[in-house]
Amino acid sequence: MKPNHIFLLLFIAIFSSCVNAQKPSPMKKVLIVYYSFSGNTEIVANQIKEITGGDIFELQPVKPYPEEYDSVVSQAKKEISTGFCPDLKAMPDSMEKYDVVLIGSPCWWYTMAPPMFTFLSENDFSGKTIALFMTHGGSGLGHSIPDLQKKCPGASIQPGLAIYGDSVKQSKPDILKWLQKIELISK
């Protein structure tokens, strides 16, 4: 083989490995389900969709939360303390076709927002892989992972991702690391 052919083959091999560095796993069907109050969680969910190519679904309560901050904080505290699950406008069509469910929520009172608890209560996640991503104002994931484990017995719960609300637009590097950690994309 001529030296320039060897160089060409080497170049193709290196280029191919770089192109495929962030390729989603072709074997796993991914659903991204999220609830977003301020738009931060929606930004992260859309970045995840862009990277994974997964299907995406936004949860919307039938009765929207108040827009005034103190009112929504008060309502969320009451709903979370009582275990209230609000009615949702719609649910994803068929959970059976998904292997991985990525769940996104703002962190309210150290856990997921009540619309996410409605979604979790009305679906069976046995045998599925679940990973949680949250936006927050300083509380990180709170106690959401143990709450998720209680709601989804029989599911494989992966490490979560917490994104500070003010940094969602710059969070793509953190999202990529997380998706690699939970083995949804290759390194």
Side-chain angles (χ1 to χ4, degrees):
M1 192 176 276
K2 294 183 181 180
N4 50 349
H5 286 144
I6 294 171
F7 175 76
L8 180 61
L9 290 174
L10 183 60
F11 174 78
I12 290 170
I14 292 170
F15 180 75
S16 295
S17 69
C18 291
V19 168
N20 293 324
Q22 297 174 0
K23 198 169 197 174
S25 171
M27 306 290 249
K28 298 176 184 174
K29 183 77 173 149
V30 176
L31 175 64
I32 303 145
V33 177
Y34 72 94
Y35 168 72
S36 188
F37 175 73
S38 67
N40 287 337
T41 307
E42 181 177 25
I43 290 169
V44 176
N46 283 314
Q47 289 178 14
I48 293 169
K49 178 185 176 22
E50 177 186 318
I51 296 165
T52 65
D55 295 339
I56 193 165
F57 189 89
E58 179 182 10
L59 299 176
Q60 297 177 348
V62 170
K63 183 180 176 189
Y65 285 93
E67 291 183 24
E68 200 272 319
Y69 179 78
D70 289 337
S71 296
V72 77
V73 167
S74 175
Q75 182 176 336
K77 183 177 184 179
K78 182 179 177 184
E79 288 180 358
I80 290 167
S81 69
T82 63
F84 177 75
C85 292
D87 291 332
L88 300 176
K89 290 181 180 180
M91 290 282 217
D93 289 335
S94 173
M95 295 299 297
E96 292 81 32
K97 65 183 176 182
Y98 297 103
D99 304 303
V100 178
V101 182
L102 302 178
I103 295 174
S105 175
C107 191
W108 286 0
W109 295 101
Y110 304 98
T111 193
M112 296 167 281
M116 191 53 66
F117 282 105
T118 302
F119 169 72
L120 295 172
S121 297
E122 294 186 14
N123 289 285
D124 180 11
F125 296 95
S126 298
K128 299 200 182 299
T129 298
I130 299 177
L132 176 68
F133 62 95
M134 297 188 85
T135 56
H136 65 93
S139 57
L141 294 171
H143 50 76
S144 295
I145 297 294
D147 293 345
L148 186 61
Q149 290 168 332
K150 288 177 196 168
K151 286 287 183 186
C152 303
S156 172
I157 309 295
Q158 299 298 304
L161 172 68
I163 302 284
Y164 190 75
D166 290 343
S167 65
V168 295
K169 291 180 181 173
Q170 297 84 30
S171 62
K172 198 167 189 176
D174 293 328
I175 293 168
L176 286 168
K177 286 179 196 169
W178 175 64
L179 291 170
Q180 290 168 350
K181 183 177 184 176
I182 64 172
E183 299 179 352
L184 268 188
I185 61 172
S186 58
K187 294 182 181 185

